[in-house]
Amino acid sequence: PSALREVQIEVSPVRWNDIGGQEVTKLKFRQSVEWPLKYSAKFQLLGIRPPRGILLFGPPGCSKTLMARALATEGGINFLAIKGPELYNKYVGESERTLREIFNRARKSAPSIIFIDEIDALSSARGNGAKSGNSVGDRILATLLNEMDGIECLQEVIVVGATNRPEVIDKALMRPGRLDRIIYVPLPDAKTRREILDIRFRRTPTAADVDKLALVEKTDGFSGAEITAVCQEAALAALEEDLDNTQVHMRHFERALSSVKPRTTQETVSRYN
Ligand code: ATP
């Protein structure tokens, strides 16, 4: 059981309507996972092999984790999550055992999603100049590939990997039958930013002077996580100004915007395309 400490099995409460916008991404992602489960007979009839693995990539803080969690909640699918780098903090042999345990649990609780955040950490050391075949990275990767190859389609286990650095993902992980559906989760466009603000405003009372469309403009280039941070900072600024404030005003948002800066540059975005 100690090997499973860092695996969370949860009835995740994220719903589709907790995720603002990102309509195209949501649709692609849902089709990749829900269709094969729902229409498995039709898939078989037409000889379509359901995906075993999906890779979500894009800038940090743009709802990759939320998407996987919403998919699990709304589809009644079990959700097992692990972060790639966590597998490294292990005694010899422990990492592989942890991974195998996760797959075992996933099979037992199918249909299930194994969500591997920062999956780029699981690449072989070849790029680092180390001898391949015996580094921890090589062994973890070999175990993952082995487990993925062993998932029978009907066992209804889907691996969802997430990364901000698709270019360093090991090629072996991207072969057919592994992470062969690739979905880009972009920075939020204007509509998505508006919806994220709507979601935040459901929880935080805002004054009449708050100009939502101006905020949509001013947060161009921000990730969803950064927009959320702006709203939090603004609410905090309101409290700092006066502990009796019950609403957040535009001036508080202005203040928050001067401290929260977007981290994803245009140059980074162009590298994703
Ligand atoms: P990372 O690459 O850093 O792991 P991620 O893409 O997995 O990030 P999430 O963890 O899903 O991002 O999102 C981080 C936080 O940002 C969420 O908890 C939420 O508060 C906010 N957020 C991001 N995108 C959205 C969105 N479209 N709607 C609502 N909230 C969002």
Side-chain angles (χ1 to χ4, degrees), residues 90-103:
K90 294 284 172 196
Y91 297 109
V92 175
E94 185 96 332
S95 318
E96 295 97 306
R97 198 155 61 90
T98 305
L99 252 185
R100 283 196 298 267
E101 286 280 326
I102 295 167
F103 276 83

Side-chain angles (χ1 to χ4, degrees), residues 224-246:
E226 287 157 350
I227 296 171
T228 301
V230 167
C231 295
Q232 298 269 306
E233 287 292 316
L236 202 60
L239 263 195
E240 274 168 11
E241 183 189 82
D242 184 344
L243 280 174
D244 290 329
N245 264 340
T246 53

Side-chain angles (χ1 to χ4, degrees), residues 78 80 101-112 155 157:
N78 277 301
L80 292 87
E101 286 280 326
I102 295 167
F103 276 83
N104 267 334
R105 272 175 102 143
R107 279 188 288 263
K108 283 191 194 133
S109 59
S112 48
Q155 284 182 315
V157 174

